[in-house]
Amino acid sequence: MTFDSLKEIILATVNAAEEKVAPDAKLIPDVCADSLDTVELAMALEDKTGVNVPDDVMPTFRTLGDLLAYLNEQGA
């Protein structure tokens, strides 16, 4: 998965400003406003990539780069 693909999913799922969606952006608060946003994003990622992203794993990602690395490790 490329960062651009991840960015498309993020922008379609949560109310994030496009200029804030960057590899070094923090998942919370830069992209997701709260834990509900992270749950919605996890579900969207699972739907689009087939990769299971457990609710307890999402908060462990400090940046979008960390999330992208996880998705790629899982075969997205």
Side-chain angles (χ1 to χ4, degrees), residues 6-20:
L6 176 60
K7 184 176 181 175
E8 286 179 29
I9 295 169
I10 291 169
L11 293 175
T13 305
V14 297
N15 188 21
E18 185 172 358
E19 63 273 4
K20 288 195 172 195

Side-chain angles (χ1 to χ4, degrees), residues 15-66:
N15 188 21
E18 185 172 358
E19 63 273 4
K20 288 195 172 195
V21 182
D24 62 345
K26 290 181 174 45
L27 189 59
I28 296 176
D30 294 341
V31 175
C32 294
D34 55 31
S35 59
L36 181 57
D37 281 346
T38 62
V39 170
E40 289 176 12
L41 180 56
M43 292 185 330
L45 290 168
E46 289 173 22
D47 288 345
K48 300 286 184 185
T49 67
V51 172
N52 182 28
V53 185
D55 293 340
D56 60 334
V57 173
M58 282 296 282
T60 67
F61 303 123
R62 292 183 38 82
T63 67
L64 294 182
D66 295 340

